[in-house]
Amino acid sequence: MIRTLSFGGIALFLLSACTVTPDAPTEPEVVESAHDYHGSEPQLFLVEPLAADQNLEIELLQLTELLYKADLDDEQRAQLLHHRAMTFDYLGLPTLALVDINQALELKPAMAEAYHSLGIYYSQAGEYQAAFEAFDSVIELQSDHEYVYLNRGLAAYYNGQFELALSDFADYYFQNPADPFRVIWYYFAAWEINPGRAFEQLNEQWEAANADPWGQKILEFLVGEIDSDTLIMYAFENAEDRRMLTYQLCEAYFYMGKVAAMNGQHYQAMNYFKLTLATNVYPYLEHRYARTELNNIRDLLRSP
């Protein structure tokens, strides 16, 4: 399941105006098997980084043309700018995305999705107070927003405010306890407060979090039911295509890095986070925060 931090969509009339050119016919993909890497360390299996999506590049051109040529009112233009911002984001162009988000908010100051996107960018940049203000604006405008508690929790977590993070992750978890990734982040925040109790709670929760087989496999790794080699081999053996394999390895390497860091294996953790970044899966939260994890470890290693 793709965790893109839930960026918003676009009005139906704009969707119809921004039809994306279909992919050209291609040969069937060959997905490597774990057995193809016999003799290698499974945790060092690599995949090709995702290439830029041609459909998104074409969509970007169409959105830009609409912005310059279409007769739009302020609300329509704000929606279009936000949609273009998310297209920039998916292509790994965050600065251009941020410019469009701010322009959208100038046109439509009560746009919850734009504040949500703004909060994510502030959090990634380490500007946590600004991120909290943006997420609080989302809650004021749309209290039932599906992902705001996850992302405000992430801002609190990476700002070292673990009690606040645990509260937000708890709200997010109880919306859908069957989602493995809600269990994972609830565990990470709880671990910072009381590692032993957090691990006990993880063991109580993980089996019921079965809405996503791949996510539950990561939970199996976290509770020690399987090792990292088995997790990576599962990713190779159960991916439908190379893109899905890259998505899964982005996540696998990130959570392997988290476990290594929690166990004090700092250099191994750094390698895993670098592998996460190397996938180019820009919209995944694991990719977004892998660099933050790297910087945190570097700061720790530099400290006396």
Side-chain angles (χ1 to χ4, degrees), residues 130-186:
F132 294 140
E133 292 172 3
F135 291 133
D136 288 346
S137 295
V138 177
I139 293 171
E140 290 176 13
L141 293 167
Q142 187 182 341
S143 60
D144 62 346
H145 191 285
E146 185 176 3
Y147 293 101
V148 68
Y149 290 104
L150 166 65
N151 290 306
R152 193 174 69 171
L154 286 166
Y157 178 84
Y158 283 107
N159 196 36
Q161 296 172 276
F162 301 119
E163 294 281 358
L164 291 175
L166 184 62
S167 176
D168 275 350
F169 289 147
D171 287 339
Y172 184 60
Y173 164 72
F174 284 112
Q175 291 172 8
N176 183 9
D179 179 356
F181 292 90
R182 297 173 195 247
V183 176
I184 289 170
W185 283 100
Y186 188 83

Side-chain angles (χ1 to χ4, degrees), residues 224-244:
E225 290 287 319
I226 62 173
D227 60 15
S228 57
D229 292 4
T230 304
L231 179 64
I232 294 297
M233 292 181 72
Y234 181 91
F236 272 89
E237 292 168 356
N238 290 272
E240 296 175 0
D241 53 35
R242 191 172 296 146
R243 180 173 291 269
M244 182 177 177

Side-chain angles (χ1 to χ4, degrees), residues 290-302:
R291 197 174 301 279
T292 303
E293 294 281 355
L294 271 172
N295 290 335
N296 288 347
I297 294 173
R298 289 183 178 122
D299 290 342
L300 179 64
L301 294 174
R302 281 196 293 261

Side-chain angles (χ1 to χ4, degrees), residues 84-101:
R84 188 174 70 168
M86 299 308 95
T87 307
F88 279 134
D89 179 78
Y90 273 57
L91 291 169
L93 301 169
T95 301
L96 295 177
L98 189 57
V99 170
D100 275 1
I101 292 168

